[in-house]
Amino acid sequence: MVAAEARPGPTAEAGAVSATKAGSRAVGEGRTGAVTEAGAKPFARSGDDRAPEAAEQLLTEAEEQVYYRPLWVEEPANRRRLPDPVRTSAVRAVIIIAVTLIQAMVAFLCTLAGSWLAFPMVLSAVASTVVATWGALDVWVTRQVWNQRHGVVSEPSSTARALRRERRRTRRLERSAERTKERIRRRGGAGQLSHS
């Protein structure tokens, strides 16, 4: 009977577990401002506590930005953009050449298959080859003409000098006309009749 009284029962074990839970809850509540058994506040949640959290959040955002890779990276162009007339003729030539290659392939496949479409496709492919050659030559000629007119090629026969001279002359005339108008305006329009 004495041995039975010395052994703790299930109710005593439950009480011990609840006591340990209560103690840990008190320690946990000490972080939010409750007084612990020692009688001191170990860690108060205030603005000082939020500062490390904000710093951690900034660090995680910075790490995410480091790992984020854009789909493409824009790099500065090494070469200048083609002039618009040259660009237009180049695009036209590429389209014509692509259509010519498709026609030649269709003509070849129709010839292998023994189709009635082979002969018309061969004729159209030959015609398209002539047009594609013209398109390629057109790109070269347009580029040369643009260079000649806009002063990229600095040669004595270049027409760019004459064009620049004309532009300078017109600018000079416009400036002198502007100065004359300003002079008349400053004098108060003396000698002019009123049209009102």
Side-chain angles (χ1 to χ4, degrees):
M1 183 144 178
V2 176
E5 285 177 3
R7 201 178 346 146
T11 55
E13 287 176 2
V17 169
S18 63
T20 54
K21 282 184 182 175
S24 64
R25 192 183 305 131
V27 171
E29 285 175 358
R31 288 182 183 169
T32 60
V35 179
T36 58
E37 293 174 1
K41 288 185 180 179
F43 195 72
R45 186 172 285 277
S46 63
D48 299 334
D49 181 34
R50 291 184 192 129
E53 287 181 2
E56 287 176 11
Q57 187 177 2
L58 284 174
L59 281 173
T60 54
E61 286 177 2
E63 287 173 359
E64 286 175 4
Q65 286 177 356
V66 167
Y67 292 123
Y68 169 73
R69 252 182 65 188
L71 289 176
W72 62 83
V73 178
E74 290 187 15
E75 296 178 356
N78 294 330
R79 297 174 61 182
R80 286 182 303 169
R81 176 189 165 109
L82 281 174
D84 285 338
V86 182
R87 194 182 177 88
T88 306
S89 61
V91 169
R92 184 171 53 232
V94 166
I95 292 171
I96 292 170
I97 290 168
V99 170
T100 304
L101 289 173
I102 291 169
Q103 284 180 335
M105 186 183 64
V106 170
F108 176 71
L109 293 175
C110 288
T111 305
L112 287 180
S115 173
W116 62 270
L117 199 59
F119 184 65
M121 287 306 296
V122 167
L123 288 179
S124 66
V126 169
S128 293
T129 304
V130 174
V131 176
T133 308
W134 168 83
L137 284 174
D138 180 50
V139 176
W140 183 68
V141 169
T142 309
R143 181 171 163 272
Q144 292 297 326
V145 168
W146 194 90
N147 286 343
Q148 187 78 8
R149 284 187 182 161
H150 294 85
V152 176
V153 178
S154 181
E155 294 175 1
S157 62
S158 176
T159 57
R161 283 193 186 137
L163 288 171
R164 277 200 297 266
R165 213 173 288 126
E166 287 174 17
R167 272 190 236 121
R168 277 199 295 267
R169 193 180 301 124
T170 54
R171 256 186 261 129
R172 222 177 289 126
L173 289 171
E174 285 173 4
R175 265 187 260 131
S176 64
E178 224 19 77
R179 267 189 247 114
T180 308
K181 284 181 187 175
E182 188 64 33
R183 207 177 300 123
I184 291 170
R185 206 176 293 124
R186 263 188 265 122
R187 287 179 186 172
Q192 288 185 349
L193 296 173
S194 173
H195 297 289
S196 58

